[in-house]
Amino acid sequence: MTQNPLLIGKGLPPFADITTDHVVPGITQLLEELETTLSQLEENPEPTWSGLVEPLQELQERLVWSWGIINHLMGVKNSPELREAHQTVQPQVVQFINRLNQSQPLYKAFKALAESPDWDSLEPAQKRIVEATIRDAELSGVGLTGEICDRFNAIELELAELSTQFSNQVIDATKAFSLTLTTPEEIDGLPPSLLSLAAQAAREAGEENATPENGPWRITLDFPSFGPFLKYSTRRDLRETVYRAYISRASEGELNNFPLIERILELRKEKSEILGFSSYAELSLASKMAPDVAAVEELLEELRTVSYDAGVQEFEDLKAYAKSQGETADLKHWDISFWSERQRSEKFAYTDEELRPYFPLNQVLDGLFGLVRRIFNITITPADGLAQIWHPDVRYFQVADNQENAIAYFYLDPYSRPAEKRGGAWMADCINRAKIIEDGITKIRLPVAYLQCNQTPPVDGKPSLMTFSEVETLFHEFGHGLQHMLTTVDYPGASGINNVEWDAVELPSQFMENWCYDRSTLFGMAKHYENGETLPEHYYQKILASRNYMSGTAMLRQIHFSSVDLELHHRYQPGGKETVNDVRQRIAAQTTVLPPLPEDAFLCSFGHIFAGGYAAGYYSYKWAEVLSADAFAAFEEAGLDNDSAVVSIGEKFRNTVLALGGSLHPMEVFKSFRGREPSTKPLLIHSGLVTAS
């Protein structure tokens, strides 16, 4: 009998061999084996690093390896069969994790280790891992007994199921809507790239003769289709139809996420109270960099006051511009993208579409790899064929040091596939760096990352031609990847992004976005896909000039999401007079210039906080952006064209922010790079909201 591929437990996932039929028997058998191992470990736990932490780490890694593959496939190759298998075993997985986190014998052994004479001989990374394990056990209910413990575990189980259901319903609702256009009038204003994509979508839906020239054209709620449609369609009525469909996703009928949201918030509140916190936000912040809710609200308010007036002015300017172009109606939500794209293209004399031919994916990757070679002294080369993949479009790459030794690898899954892949972009760890012993020999296990984007796929024989914001997204995710791949920590519990406080985790990703505007980086990748011509200088100047176009509005949008998230998890009372939508509308009065429509159900697709790791933590983007802008300012102060300075600061950034992972507190890591605590000023300067003095 051949071994179930989900039970191999180490190395690269054998994607070609895994079928949904492996999930239930594989995970069931794995949990039985882990249960036995855990019971043996609990019998007489030895409060030492080698006797306690290492065997526990080994046990956790086996679960993470197998369950991680299934969760990865749920995000990139979702199917009814996989969902059913996932749903069947998820309760047992959650129950086992609860049992592990609440193990009294292990908790006592960790406490004993922290108080033992051996403590002083541990490295900082080891101490952080032990301290985090103790804290996480306490936040996972290790101190609970009897009925209250049973109730806590039932909550954890239900929350896991609700989160998966929420995510699945967003995928289904996104997939459920489409708008088929058949006449030249209906496609007026749409750029060739969107017509090609829409004709391809029509062919996939059964219109086998659809062409970019003659249609029919299928518009969907997948971002590469929805975004450009709102920007370019001159048909206001159709923009409204598509916009309303987008904001009401997963808010009615069988796919209605509102009841799920209410239940999730209710359970999170109950869970927090069981653990002795007055709100879920306080529980969430117990393991973050921000000291408390007040500190987060203070930062958000500081940024809000600076950006609100700018946002109001931007909207007034946009209304005046639309009026000057003959628009007689009041601007509605479905008009903003359209008129701001027109205003921007007139103001800066270029459109997003004009730039696309200069950003074919392969060129962008060359530019990105050239940048990290310059600033971090690493070389990235294709390694396709060395790893099994889950889709033909997936690429595999090797990262090497300046001695040409491999130090890491990563998968890149760049294109959107709305039928099976969730929206957005993300980095996840496939394998963590660790020191391991194999056949009596100690060696370093190299880290491997998953990088997922949802950019425009190749269409009609053309490569994937990226918008500038898709370029920024790729750089962003690659920043997360760098922290995972360039870590020098040998303990998996603190290597890469493990054990990094959640509100500091966006530092490297947002830092990397800044390089998209750096002259040598941009010219290194912006080359026309047909003739190889470099992007003309005037476009570069326009990109720079337009960087802060509508930046007040963009900042407000993030503050709005962060504030709603915090309010729902801190002050909102589930089942009370106020609904979640009431909360959002109330906060919108201070954080939006054009309040959401009454039927705007954005919360029903807000996967970050209801199906991801950002609950009471969405503010992390802004918190970390303060850090990332300040970190990038170190390069600006030295001069981005001063090559030797850029190299030496890059080395310092690599050796601190990227190397130290979760082995030190993020504030210590930041200070070791910058020599001081962070300041909000660089972020406000970068956003064009205050001037550099």
Side-chain angles (χ1 to χ4, degrees):
M1 185 177 152
T2 55
Q3 188 187 16
N4 184 318
L6 287 172
L7 291 173
I8 297 168
K10 61 178 185 181
L12 292 170
F15 289 111
D17 306 330
I18 296 170
T19 68
T20 46
D21 292 342
H22 290 126
V23 175
V24 177
I27 295 298
T28 305
Q29 185 185 330
L30 175 70
L31 291 174
E32 283 167 11
E33 291 172 10
L34 294 181
E35 188 67 51
T36 306
T37 310
L38 178 57
S39 298
Q40 288 166 349
L41 189 56
E42 284 179 322
E43 270 169 28
N44 192 15
E46 186 191 322
T48 62
W49 183 265
S50 59
L52 174 67
V53 186
E54 285 177 356
L56 182 62
Q57 183 72 57
E58 211 170 291
L59 181 155
Q60 289 168 321
E61 291 218 307
R62 283 188 62 200
L63 178 61
V64 165
W65 190 87
S66 306
W67 188 235
I69 292 171
I70 297 165
N71 282 322
H72 171 70
L73 291 172
M74 283 284 285
V76 295
K77 215 165 176 50
N78 199 294
S79 69
E81 298 76 26
L82 182 60
R83 281 183 191 187
E84 194 181 332
H86 180 272
Q87 200 177 345
T88 304
V89 290
Q90 186 181 34
Q92 289 98 289
V93 174
V94 173
Q95 280 158 0
F96 178 76
I97 292 170
N98 285 343
R99 153 130 168 64
L100 181 63
N101 290 340
Q102 293 166 359
S103 165
Q104 288 282 348
L106 295 187
Y107 175 67
K108 285 174 182 158
F110 269 95
K111 294 280 278 189
L113 172 56
E115 288 156 15
S116 73
D118 293 349
W119 182 250
D120 293 337
S121 63
L122 295 184
E123 296 170 28
Q126 293 174 301
K127 289 181 177 175
R128 280 260 299 174
I129 289 168
V130 172
E131 287 162 350
T133 306
I134 292 170
R135 178 199 66 206
D136 293 345
E138 289 165 357
L139 298 181
S140 300
V142 75
L144 306 174
T145 52
E147 284 179 15
I148 200 81
C149 184
D150 294 341
R151 176 64 196 138
F152 182 87
N153 291 343
I155 290 173
E156 292 287 72
L157 184 59
E158 193 179 342
L159 281 172
E161 288 168 352
L162 288 168
S163 159
T164 304
Q165 192 186 343
F166 184 99
S167 187
N168 287 340
Q169 291 186 178
V170 175
I171 290 180
D172 292 346
T174 303
K175 209 162 48 177
F177 173 90
S178 68
L179 177 69
T180 301
L181 310 176
T182 54
T183 67
E185 293 75 34
E186 289 175 324
I187 58 161
D188 186 52
L190 302 186
S193 63
L194 180 55
L195 295 175
S196 289
L197 189 67
Q200 180 168 291
R203 288 196 296 275
E204 285 167 1
E207 297 278 359
E208 52 205 46
N209 299 320
T211 64
E213 297 72 34
N214 303 317
W217 304 271
R218 190 169 187 252
I219 301 300
T220 68
L221 299 182
D222 193 36
F223 205 79
S225 176
F226 160 81
F229 186 80
L230 280 194
K231 258 186 193 175
Y232 297 109
S233 171
T234 59
R235 285 287 298 271
R236 191 166 188 250
D237 56 334
L238 298 179
R239 290 202 310 265
E240 179 178 356
T241 299
V242 172
Y243 178 82
R244 285 183 182 276
Y246 188 78
I247 59 161
S248 60
R249 279 182 305 162
S251 69
E252 53 207 2
E254 286 179 357
L255 301 177
N256 187 354
N257 272 343
F258 273 127
L260 271 58
I261 290 174
E262 193 68 19
R263 184 66 180 151
I264 288 169
L265 292 171
E266 191 183 339
L267 291 171
R268 284 176 178 167
K269 187 172 191 310
E270 188 185 346
K271 170 183 168 176
S272 317
E273 287 166 355
I274 289 174
L275 293 174
F277 292 92
S278 65
S279 74
Y280 186 81
E282 292 193 352
L283 167 59
S284 166
L285 290 175
S287 56
K288 292 187 170 64
M289 192 176 170
D292 50 33
V293 174
V296 175
E297 292 187 326
E298 199 178 308
L299 173 73
L300 293 175
E301 181 57 19
E302 181 188 346
L303 298 176
R304 190 195 73 82
T305 44
V306 177
S307 50
Y308 190 79
D309 291 347
V312 170
Q313 190 55 53
E314 286 162 4
F315 187 54
E316 290 305 320
D317 292 348
L318 191 64
K319 286 197 292 195
Y321 173 75
K323 199 172 176 185
S324 76
Q325 300 299 302
E327 178 60 82
T328 52
D330 284 342
L331 289 201
K332 300 285 190 214
H333 296 78
W334 48 87
D335 300 321
I336 304 300
S337 274
F338 177 76
W339 285 113
S340 50
E341 177 57 24
R342 291 204 155 188
Q343 183 189 36
R344 195 184 62 80
S345 62
E346 186 173 301
K347 200 169 181 177
F348 305 107
Y350 79 95
T351 66
D352 264 355
E353 288 300 308
E354 281 173 64
L355 295 182
R356 266 192 206 264
Y358 292 98
F359 293 112
L361 174 61
N362 279 346
Q363 278 294 144
V364 172
L365 289 175
D366 286 350
L368 173 57
F369 299 165
L371 168 69
V372 294
R373 186 168 61 239
R374 176 186 168 213
I375 56 177
F376 301 134
N377 204 7
I378 54 175
T379 307
I380 297 174
T381 49
D384 301 297
L386 291 186
Q388 294 183 19
I389 50 179
W390 54 92
H391 189 277
D393 291 337
V394 175
R395 303 280 317 273
Y396 192 61
F397 293 91
Q398 174 189 282
V399 182
D401 61 17
N402 57 0
Q403 316 280 290
E404 293 180 21
N405 300 314
I407 53 173
Y409 293 87
F410 65 94
Y411 298 88
L412 173 65
D413 184 355
Y415 313 128
S416 91
R417 294 190 297 279
E420 61 176 21
K421 185 177 175 184
R422 68 181 169 92
W426 67 98
M427 188 286 293
D429 45 7
C430 171
I431 296 175
N432 288 301
R433 178 184 164 111
K435 193 185 286 179
I436 54 170
I437 297 170
E438 267 184 8
D439 307 325
I441 300 164
T442 302
K443 48 173 154 179
I444 297 296
R445 182 180 69 194
L446 301 183
V448 182
Y450 295 123
L451 299 182
Q452 315 293 339
C453 294
N454 259 299
Q455 68 196 50
T456 314
V459 182
D460 298 337
K462 291 177 181 165
S464 172
L465 300 177
M466 300 168 72
T467 63
F468 191 70
S469 81
E470 287 174 341
V471 174
E472 288 181 290
T473 298
L474 176 63
F475 272 60
H476 177 102
E477 297 310 329
F478 200 75
H480 284 308
L482 286 170
Q483 187 169 28
H484 176 70
M485 297 185 288
L486 299 188
T487 189
T488 53
V489 179
D490 294 334
Y491 307 104
S495 71
I497 64 169
N498 291 318
N499 207 30
V500 175
E501 278 70 359
W502 195 258
D503 40 10
V505 102
E506 297 293 335
L507 193 177
S509 51
Q510 297 185 141
F511 165 82
M512 284 300 291
E513 287 182 46
N514 291 294
W515 291 97
C516 296
Y517 297 88
D518 168 51
R519 171 183 286 276
S520 68
T521 305
L522 192 73
F523 283 119
M525 63 182 168
K527 294 185 169 47
H528 200 285
Y529 78 101
E530 285 174 319
N531 55 28
E533 279 180 16
T534 302
L535 183 79
E537 173 68 28
H538 68 92
Y539 276 129
Y540 174 59
Q541 295 304 332
K542 289 164 184 172
I543 289 172
L544 286 186
S546 66
R547 181 178 187 178
N548 291 325
Y549 172 67
M550 300 288 264
S551 67
T553 305
M555 176 92 80
L556 271 183
R557 182 172 179 269
Q558 290 294 84
I559 292 165
H560 173 68
F561 294 159
S562 305
S563 304
V564 171
D565 168 39
L566 211 56
E567 186 74 6
L568 288 176
H569 287 106
H570 189 50
R571 296 186 186 88
Y572 174 66
Q573 299 297 326
K577 285 181 185 168
E578 216 182 14
T579 67
V580 290
N581 245 6
D582 293 338
V583 171
R584 183 175 177 214
Q585 292 291 350
R586 172 163 59 77
I587 287 177
Q590 261 72 52
T591 55
T592 61
V593 178
L594 190 61
L597 296 172
E599 66 272 31
D600 187 325
F602 158 74
L603 289 170
C604 289
S605 58
F606 199 2
H608 272 80
I609 70 169
F610 296 117
Y614 284 87
Y618 196 83
Y619 76 88
S620 301
Y621 283 102
K622 280 293 158 223
W623 190 274
E625 204 178 347
V626 170
L627 306 176
S628 65
D630 198 350
F632 189 71
F635 290 84
E636 293 175 312
E637 287 156 15
L640 293 173
D641 46 5
N642 178 344
D643 227 40
S644 62
V646 165
V647 168
S648 82
I649 297 168
E651 185 181 12
K652 193 173 183 188
F653 187 84
R654 178 181 167 179
N655 291 337
T656 53
V657 176
L658 299 179
L660 296 173
S663 66
L664 290 172
H665 188 277
M667 186 59 86
E668 294 309 309
V669 174
F670 185 87
K671 288 199 293 198
S672 64
F673 169 62
R674 206 63 170 104
R676 56 165 175 75
E677 292 203 354
S679 150
T680 54
K681 195 170 179 193
L683 172 59
L684 297 172
I685 292 169
H686 281 180
S687 308
L689 296 169
V690 302
T691 49
S693 54

